[in-house]
Amino acid sequence: MPGEAVTAWIAAGSAVAGALAGGVVTGWFTLAAARKQAQGTVDAAARQADAAWAAGQRQADAAWAAGQRQADAAWEAGRLQADAQLDVARQTLTAQHLAAQREVRRAAYAAFLTATHTTDQHRREWQQGLGTSEAAGRRDRYRTARIAVTEALTPVRLEGPDPVVLAAEALERSLEVNAPQDDYQVAHTAFLDAARTALTA
């Protein structure tokens, strides 16, 4: 009986030891598998995060490039619009300047023509009245008119252009006392032609 009890106790102890040893081995394999699974999960999550970051980076780069193209296009459109508006403004200012210049020239030419016409009339009257009591008065009126021609010639010289100035100076000379009467008509016509050309240029 005592020997059988000892044998039973030994058998029981062996069973317990075997169970414990088997549990340790099984637990070790289970732990290793769990660690491997956890590492795989971490690796997969890392790969997924990397892929998501790369996709986000590509999307951000594409959005930046599209925004840059849009900004460049808007800048170019604005520049073209500004250039067009500047051209219109320049053309408008040029047209206004030319219109104002024509008006000033027209006024100067008209005043000069009026003065020369008046002087030619007074010269004719003086020449017709030579030897009469009215000759002195007519001569004075002619001389006063000649001064007015000289004064009216100054704006013409200032406004130009040169062909008109040359024609105006020739017209003034044609009004001298000893100038032939025909010279006035020729010079008058030449001045009118030059003035019309300048005003319609």
Side-chain angles (χ1 to χ4, degrees):
M1 282 296 289
E4 292 177 359
V6 171
T7 302
W9 280 106
I10 292 171
S14 296
V16 171
L20 289 173
V24 170
V25 171
T26 302
W28 183 83
F29 281 114
T30 301
L31 179 61
R35 285 179 178 173
K36 185 176 181 180
Q37 184 178 4
Q39 186 63 45
T41 302
V42 170
D43 291 343
R47 288 194 298 273
Q48 187 176 6
D50 290 342
W53 184 89
Q57 183 65 37
R58 289 193 298 273
Q59 185 176 5
D61 291 343
W64 185 89
Q68 185 65 36
R69 289 193 298 271
Q70 187 176 7
D72 291 343
W75 185 89
E76 181 65 15
R79 186 187 66 79
L80 293 175
Q81 185 177 6
D83 289 345
Q85 291 176 346
L86 184 59
D87 288 340
V88 171
R90 285 174 179 166
Q91 292 172 4
T92 302
L93 288 175
T94 300
Q96 291 174 348
H97 172 73
L98 292 176
Q101 184 184 60
R102 278 194 297 269
E103 289 304 313
V104 172
R105 285 180 171 178
R106 190 189 309 276
Y109 300 165
F112 179 71
L113 281 173
T114 300
T116 58
H117 178 70
T118 301
T119 302
D120 179 59
Q121 285 184 328
H122 288 312
R123 184 178 62 171
R124 289 172 180 269
E125 292 173 358
W126 176 37
Q127 290 173 345
Q128 292 172 357
L130 290 175
T132 67
S133 59
E134 297 180 355
R138 294 180 179 182
R139 180 195 61 201
D140 292 341
R141 286 193 290 274
Y142 162 73
R143 289 176 177 174
T144 301
R146 283 281 289 140
I147 293 173
V149 170
T150 302
E151 292 175 349
L153 178 60
T154 299
V156 176
R157 284 175 172 157
L158 289 174
E159 294 301 324
D162 290 342
V164 176
V165 173
L166 294 174
E169 291 173 343
L171 181 54
E172 182 195 28
R173 289 193 299 272
S174 74
L175 293 170
E176 295 176 356
V177 175
N178 298 323
Q181 185 63 41
D182 292 342
D183 286 0
Y184 170 76
Q185 295 300 328
V186 173
H188 184 269
T189 301
F191 177 79
L192 282 176
D193 291 341
R196 290 192 183 106
T197 300
L199 292 174
T200 57

